[in-house]
């Protein structure tokens, strides 16, 4: 009896109604139904299916964020298949961020309702939204794994830099969850339910505190132990500042302190070497305007006289 009196809380009807309105879309006919102590676990687990969508969307957002060095290749890949240029990489990043924020908001609303002892009733529109987020994230991860499987190596390597920050973020999240977890544990009448609620939380918290013992990151080094600065090599020059594989692109690399240059050489039909990366001239020249019927022709099948008629820089300004 004493414990129940100590746990007596003031009612926040407008606040709870607002939370339930956003989560359950029940603005007018919403009737408060408190969760009975110790009887919310199954219902909560069933209603928190959005957590799976949250995990998959987080993994995809992190993976695509770390793949930023390959955005240009991704856009060129789509250009080769669709025939027109567009920043699909940026669109994909924005969509992934919006879906992640949406599913995160649903989880925050659910946690707030649980902290107030309310039952969860996810509206059917949010259920569809959760399913779409889950489907989009899984499909995108599968496609990227098939087409760009090497990105997983980039993700693993990135943990050497981001692991300390991810660890701090995880600890912060667990601290924020401590209040609703403690409330539900105290309200539970059965010891078994209390163990089920508190046990996993403490196990995850202990795991997070032990992670630094096995964490390796080059960002955490003693003064004077860092190796030499890596060399800066201009890949086809500076393709983000000037047309690739051109003299201007190489000059931009030198101006920005590049230590070396990387380029691609193709031999023309009459035996003259020229700089070209692609197998065709469609992407980096104006061959569509000069020779529209030969856009799919291999670059090595053109003579030097024909190549001199093309412009290898105007495409960069479009």
């Amino acid at each position: 009896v004493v414990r129940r009196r100590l746990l007596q809380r003031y009612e926040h009807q407008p606040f709870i109604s607002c939370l339930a309105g956003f989560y359950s879309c029940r603005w007018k006919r919403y009737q408060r139904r408190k969760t009975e102590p110790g009887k919310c676990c199954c219902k909560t687990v069933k209603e928190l299916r959005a957590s799976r969508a949250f995990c998959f969307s987080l993994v995809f957002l992190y993976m695509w964020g770390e793949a930023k060095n390959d955005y240009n290749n991704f856009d060129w890949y789509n250009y080769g298949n669709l025939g027109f240029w567009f920043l699909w990489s940026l669109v994909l990043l924005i969509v992934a961020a919006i879906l992640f924020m949406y599913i995160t908001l649903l989880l925050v609303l659910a946690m707030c309702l649980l902290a107030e002892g309310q039952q969860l009733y996810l509206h059917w529109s949010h259920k569809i939204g959760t399913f779409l987020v889950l489907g989009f994230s899984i499909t995108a991860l599968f496609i990227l794994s098939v087409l760009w499987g090497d990105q997983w190596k980039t993700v693993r390597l990135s943990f050497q830099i981001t692991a300390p920050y991810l660890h701090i973020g995880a600890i912060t999240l667990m601290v924020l969850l401590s209040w609703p977890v403690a409330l539900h544990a105290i309200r539970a009448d059965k010891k078994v339910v209390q163990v089920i609620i508190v046990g996993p939380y403490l196990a995850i918290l202990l795991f997070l505190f032990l992670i630094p013992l096995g964490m390796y990151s080059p960002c955490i080094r003693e003064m004077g132990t860092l190796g030499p600065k890596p060399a800066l090599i201009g890949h086809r020059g500076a393709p983000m500042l000037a047309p690739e594989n051109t003299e201007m692109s190489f000059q931009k690399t030198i101006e920005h302190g590049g230590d070396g240059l990387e380029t691609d050489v193709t031999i023309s039909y009459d035996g003259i070497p020229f700089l070209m990366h692609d197998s065709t001239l469609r992407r980096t020249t104006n061959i569509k305007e000069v020779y529209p019927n030969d856009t799919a022709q291999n670059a090595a099948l053109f003579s030097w006289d024909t190549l001199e008629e093309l412009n290898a820089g105007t495409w960069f300004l479009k």
Side-chain angles (χ1 to χ4, degrees):
V1 178
V2 176
R3 188 178 70 170
R4 290 296 177 84
R5 288 180 179 177
L6 291 176
L7 292 177
Q8 185 176 3
R9 298 172 294 116
Y10 291 99
E11 300 295 334
H12 307 290
Q13 185 67 39
F15 174 68
I16 296 176
S17 299
C18 184
L19 292 177
F22 283 114
Y23 190 81
S24 307
C25 295
R26 297 182 178 184
W27 297 96
K28 296 181 179 180
R29 298 181 180 180
Y30 176 69
Q31 295 180 355
R32 295 189 59 192
R33 291 185 180 180
K34 288 190 175 182
T35 302
E36 294 296 330
K39 296 183 180 180
C40 64
C41 295
C42 296
K43 182 67 175 178
T44 300
V45 172
K46 184 178 179 180
E47 290 292 342
L48 284 182
R49 288 172 293 186
S51 59
R52 287 176 291 182
F54 172 82
C55 294
F56 278 102
S57 62
L58 176 61
V59 171
F60 173 70
L61 181 61
Y62 181 84
M63 178 184 181
W64 192 239
E66 290 299 326
K68 55 183 176 295
N69 289 333
D70 293 322
Y71 284 177
N72 192 51
N73 293 335
F74 178 80
D75 292 333
W76 280 119
Y77 175 82
N78 288 294
Y79 172 79
N81 289 281
L82 300 177
F84 63 93
W85 175 261
F86 194 74
L87 295 177
W88 295 108
S89 57
L90 183 60
V91 172
L92 190 58
L93 180 64
I94 293 175
V95 171
I98 292 175
L99 294 180
F100 175 74
M101 289 188 293
Y102 165 72
I103 208 69
T104 301
L105 178 61
L106 284 183
L107 287 179
V108 171
L109 292 174
M111 291 300 174
C112 292
L113 288 171
L114 289 176
E116 291 293 331
Q118 302 299 306
Q119 291 185 4
L120 300 180
Y121 298 96
L122 187 62
H123 192 259
W124 62 267
S125 61
H126 289 319
K127 291 182 179 180
I128 295 177
T130 301
F131 177 78
L132 292 177
V133 173
L134 183 62
F136 171 83
S137 302
I138 294 177
T139 303
L141 284 172
F142 175 77
I143 294 176
L144 288 180
S145 299
V146 173
L147 298 180
W148 288 281
D150 292 339
Q151 292 300 333
W152 289 109
K153 298 179 181 178
T154 304
V155 171
R156 288 195 297 269
L157 186 63
S158 69
F159 285 140
Q160 295 184 3
I161 300 175
T162 61
Y165 308 103
L166 294 176
H167 181 254
I168 294 175
I171 293 293
T172 303
L173 178 62
M174 295 301 292
V175 171
L176 295 176
L177 290 176
S178 61
W179 180 248
V181 170
L183 282 178
H184 277 273
I186 295 175
R187 291 173 188 163
D189 290 335
K190 298 180 180 180
K191 294 293 183 181
V192 176
V193 177
Q194 291 179 340
V195 172
I196 293 176
I197 295 175
V198 178
Y201 176 83
L202 293 179
I204 296 174
L205 197 61
L206 178 62
F207 174 73
L208 290 176
F209 277 109
L210 293 178
I211 279 181
L213 298 178
M215 183 184 297
Y216 167 76
S217 175
C219 298
I220 307 176
R221 300 287 293 271
E222 295 182 3
M223 187 68 68
T225 60
L226 288 176
K229 180 181 177 181
L232 179 62
I233 307 298
H235 183 60
R236 307 177 205 167
M240 303 303 293
L241 302 177
E244 64 182 57
N245 284 332
T246 62
E247 182 180 357
M248 180 184 296
S249 184
F250 298 150
Q251 290 177 348
K252 290 293 183 181
T253 303
I254 297 174
E255 291 175 5
H256 287 78
D259 299 304
L261 298 169
E262 181 274 341
T263 188
D264 310 275
V265 179
T266 302
I267 307 299
S268 67
Y269 187 76
D270 49 354
I272 299 178
F274 64 99
L275 304 186
M276 174 59 61
H277 171 269
D278 298 355
S279 59
T280 67
L281 303 171
R282 183 175 62 175
R283 181 173 67 89
T284 57
T285 69
N286 62 338
I287 192 172
K288 285 185 178 181
E289 302 172 2
V290 182
Y291 298 105
N293 297 327
D294 297 329
T295 56
Q297 190 74 269
N298 192 289
L301 297 180
F302 290 88
S303 66
W304 178 248
D305 292 336
T306 303
L307 293 173
E308 283 188 314
E309 299 179 24
L310 304 178
N311 189 306
T314 54
W315 66 272
F316 184 80
L317 302 176
K318 294 181 180 180

